[in-house]
Amino acid sequence: MKSEIEQIQDLIEQSKSILITSHENPDGDALGSTLSLGLGLRKIGKEITLYNKDGVPEMLEFLPHSENIVKSLSSVLGPFDIAFAVDCTATSRAGKDFEEYAKSENCKNVVIIDHHQTTGSDADIHLLDEGASSTGILIYRILKALEIELDKEIAENIYTTIVSDTGSFSYSNTNSDTLRIAAELVDIGVEPSKISQAIYENEPLRKLELYKLAIPTLEITENETIASIYVDKNMFNETGTTRQDTEGLVNIPRSIKGVDVAMLFRQEGQDSDPEWKVSLRSKGRVNVAKIAENFGGGGHARAAGCSLKGSIQEVKSRVISSVQEVLA
C-alpha cells in the first residue's frame, strides 16, 4: 500500500489546478507551509491559488510571495483538482467558507496536511505526523518526493515554519531531523538572523500596549502549576489591536517557573454572548490536546486550543478544573 506522501505525489502529478489554504489567524507554520507548497508546485507547472480567510499578519509580510495570498473565495476561480488545507486538523479550521467550498463540486480532492495528532476531517487524504516539528517539514518531504529543487524563497518559507513551531529550536519537538533540514535550508541561502529578526524583533507598538493591559489579568493557581491570562474586547478596542496581535502572549504565563500549563483566553464573541478562544501550552506533564478535546477542540500534546461560551470567570473555571483533574 502506498504511503500518504506517495498518494499525494500521484494526485499532484495528475492535477493541474490547485488551491492551498491554512487555518484561521495564521502563524508562521501555517503561512510558511502554504507558500512553500505553492511556490514548489508552481515550479512544475501547476496553476496555484493561495487563500487564507484572515490574510497575512503584519509580522509575516516578510515571507516571499505572501502578497499573493487572497482573503476571499469569491475571487477564486475553480474548480480545483486538489484543495490542500495545511497546518489544519480539519477543513473547518480554515474557516466556514472554505469548509463549505471544499464540500462542493469546486474541489475534486481534499488533502489535509498537519503535524497535530487530532483529526475529525473527511478529507480524501490525511498526512498527519506528530513527530514532525512543523507542518513545513511535511511540505519539505512532499517537495523532495516530487524532486522539486528548493530555491531561496521556498527555503525561507520552510525555515520560518520550523523557527515558529520550535520556538527558535527551544521546544522539545526540536529533533535531529529538524536540525538537518534547517542546515540544508541555510546552505540554500536562508539567513537565520534575518528570519529571527523579522519574527521576534519587529513588533508594532500597539501589540505591546495590548500586552500592558493583559498582564494585570495574569493569575496563578495556589500550587503555582497553572497560569492564565486573558484579553477581552475592551482591550482590543482601547489599543486598536486584533486577535493577530495576541500571537505569543501565552508565552508570558508559560515562562513562569513551576508552571506546567499556561492558558490564554481571547474574547471572540460580543459582550452579550461572549465566546472565548482558549490557547493551551504545556511544558510536558499534561497532554493539553486531550484537555482541548474535552471542549470540542484539539491540537497536539504541548500546544492546543478550543472555544467556549460564557463569562471569563465561568470559562476559566471550567478549563482550569479540567487541567487540575489531570495534574491530580
Side-chain angles (χ1 to χ4, degrees):
M1 184 176 177
K2 289 188 175 182
S3 69
E4 288 84 359
I5 286 185
E6 289 172 329
Q7 293 175 49
I8 292 171
Q9 181 181 356
D10 288 346
L11 196 56
I12 289 171
E13 290 174 346
Q14 297 162 13
S15 300
K16 182 179 180 181
S17 58
I18 298 173
L19 174 66
I20 306 172
T21 190
S22 60
H23 61 73
E24 300 173 281
N25 193 28
D27 55 14
D29 191 18
L31 285 186
S33 296
T34 298
L35 290 161
S36 55
L37 179 59
L39 292 173
L41 297 185
R42 274 184 183 152
K43 292 186 77 169
I44 57 172
K46 306 302 177 182
E47 296 176 1
I48 304 300
T49 300
L50 307 174
Y51 162 76
N52 188 280
K53 171 183 174 292
D54 293 320
V56 180
E58 183 179 342
M59 64 173 288
L60 294 175
E61 290 177 350
F62 74 93
L63 288 172
H65 296 272
S66 61
E67 69 277 5
N68 294 325
I69 294 177
V70 299
K71 295 175 62 175
S72 172
L73 286 171
S74 63
S75 62
V76 168
L77 298 176
F80 295 96
D81 297 316
I82 314 172
F84 283 101
V86 301
D87 207 30
C88 294
T89 51
T91 53
S92 59
R93 291 283 285 114
K96 185 177 179 180
D97 288 350
F98 176 77
E99 183 179 21
E100 294 177 352
Y101 195 82
K103 293 177 181 177
S104 71
E105 294 180 355
N106 285 305
C107 301
K108 296 178 183 177
N109 298 279
V110 179
V111 178
I112 295 285
I113 302 176
D114 200 6
H115 68 125
H116 299 94
Q117 65 186 17
T118 55
T119 181
S121 172
D122 57 355
D124 299 287
I125 301 175
H126 297 87
L127 175 57
L128 304 172
D129 183 357
E130 192 184 0
S133 59
S134 71
T135 299
I137 294 290
L138 303 179
I139 303 303
Y140 167 90
R141 294 175 187 168
I142 291 171
L143 298 182
K144 285 291 186 178
L146 290 164
E147 299 183 351
I148 295 172
E149 182 180 357
L150 306 186
D151 56 30
K152 184 178 179 181
E153 293 182 331
I154 294 173
E156 285 183 342
N157 276 294
I158 296 177
Y159 188 87
T160 298
T161 75
I162 295 172
V163 170
S164 297
D165 268 28
T166 63
S168 269
F169 307 99
S170 67
Y171 298 160
S172 63
N173 61 348
T174 305
N175 52 38
S176 58
D177 186 48
T178 302
L179 296 173
R180 277 191 291 268
I181 292 173
E184 179 183 338
L185 300 174
V186 171
D187 287 340
I188 291 171
V190 170
E191 301 173 56
S193 61
K194 172 187 170 183
I195 303 297
S196 293
Q197 184 177 31
I199 294 175
Y200 299 112
E201 300 174 13
N202 197 31
E203 303 286 14
L205 179 59
R206 66 175 184 275
K207 183 172 181 176
L208 300 183
E209 295 290 345
L210 179 66
Y211 276 35
K212 186 168 68 175
L213 295 180
I215 287 175
T217 73
L218 178 68
E219 288 189 8
I220 306 174
T221 55
E222 288 184 10
N223 59 3
E224 299 183 350
T225 58
I226 305 170
S228 66
I229 197 167
Y230 74 82
V231 174
D232 60 23
K233 283 295 180 72
N234 289 334
M235 297 178 192
F236 285 130
N237 292 337
E238 184 173 337
T239 57
T241 50
T242 68
R243 61 181 183 172
Q244 292 179 343
D245 294 304
T246 63
E247 182 70 28
L249 182 54
V250 71
N251 292 326
I252 290 178
R254 180 180 183 167
S255 69
I256 299 171
K257 181 179 179 180
V259 167
D260 288 309
V261 177
M263 309 172 186
L264 165 65
F265 297 85
R266 184 184 71 220
Q267 187 177 358
E268 298 277 306
Q270 299 301 319
D271 291 335
S272 58
D273 185 28
E275 180 176 358
W276 298 85
K277 167 68 177 177
V278 188
S279 296
L280 299 153
R281 298 293 183 270
S282 170
K283 290 182 180 175
R285 284 183 63 196
V286 177
N287 183 339
V288 289
K290 298 298 182 183
I291 303 294
E293 286 172 5
N294 292 338
F295 300 104
H300 55 93
R302 299 204 175 192
C306 57
S307 296
L308 292 86
K309 285 195 172 185
S311 68
I312 183 60
Q313 292 79 14
E314 293 168 341
V315 170
K316 282 176 61 177
S317 177
R318 291 175 63 189
V319 179
I320 290 173
S321 294
S322 183
V323 175
Q324 287 175 326
E325 290 178 11
V326 175
L327 286 171

